[in-house]
Amino acid sequence: MSTSRRDATRQKLYEAAVTLIAEQGFSATTVDEIAERAGVAKGTVYYNFSSKSVLFEELLRHGVGLLTAALRAAGPDAGLGGLAALDAMARAGLEFIRAYPSFAQLFLAETWRTNRAWHDTLRLMREETVSVVAAVLAEAVADGDLPDDLDVQLTASAVFGMVLVVALDWLAFQPERSLDDVHGGLSRLLRARMPG
């Protein structure tokens, strides 16, 4: 199987698995259901992943990797720093969660389940994503745009969590609001609450 074809198959399996697991939970989701939803044979699932748990762990890696890349592209890789970077990353986070709401729900739910085989992987992936925000904050502190006593790690976690929860709340309870409206509210909150 060619690499591009295998990547396309894996993407279909990720999409099927994340939707099913978000709907009915990990334990209740079967490999047969994942294969059926993806439109592939059950053997294709096992050809690509040795087990449902491995599929799920790789799904988490894939999704968090996409989110981390989106945040980097919006802020640091775009040459932005300080509040401009935080603002751009907040919008990128909202856009990502709007595009992948089932993944965001799953990510949030699994964050609190410490008894899962993939918890350490999830923790490391989350830390990688939060570190993108932390690096922007640390640079703003070093540049004198934010106070020296800012708890960079805690603030980075707060910003990350705020975007994740606000996006899920928006999609579940206020879907009539536009992305610009929700982003504008987050932007005002960031600017009002960020010490400086």
Side-chain angles (χ1 to χ4, degrees), residues 67-135:
L67 174 58
T68 303
L71 296 181
R72 279 195 183 111
D77 292 354
L80 299 176
L83 284 175
L86 288 177
D87 188 54
M89 290 190 301
R91 184 176 185 92
L94 291 171
E95 289 171 344
F96 176 87
I97 294 165
R98 182 177 64 175
Y100 303 102
S102 294
F103 176 79
Q105 290 172 321
L106 197 56
F107 177 83
L108 192 58
E110 289 301 317
T111 297
W112 305 110
R113 293 188 177 127
T114 58
N115 61 339
R116 303 284 203 191
W118 51 79
H119 184 72
D120 286 341
T121 298
L122 183 60
R123 181 180 52 77
L124 290 171
M125 295 301 293
R126 180 207 159 273
E127 286 174 10
E128 184 180 327
T129 304
V130 172
S131 74
V132 175
V133 180

Side-chain angles (χ1 to χ4, degrees), residues 5 47 52 76-78 97 103 128 146 157 160 166 177:
R5 189 167 159 214
Y47 176 77
K52 183 173 75 166
D77 292 354
I97 294 165
F103 176 79
E128 184 180 327
L146 293 173
S157 292
F160 176 76
V166 165
R177 294 182 73 169

Side-chain angles (χ1 to χ4, degrees), residues 2-3 27 54 59 73 85 88 95 100 107 118 123 131 144 165 178 181:
S2 71
T3 302
S27 298
V54 170
L59 167 66
E95 289 171 344
Y100 303 102
F107 177 83
W118 51 79
R123 181 180 52 77
S131 74
V165 172
S178 69
D181 185 33

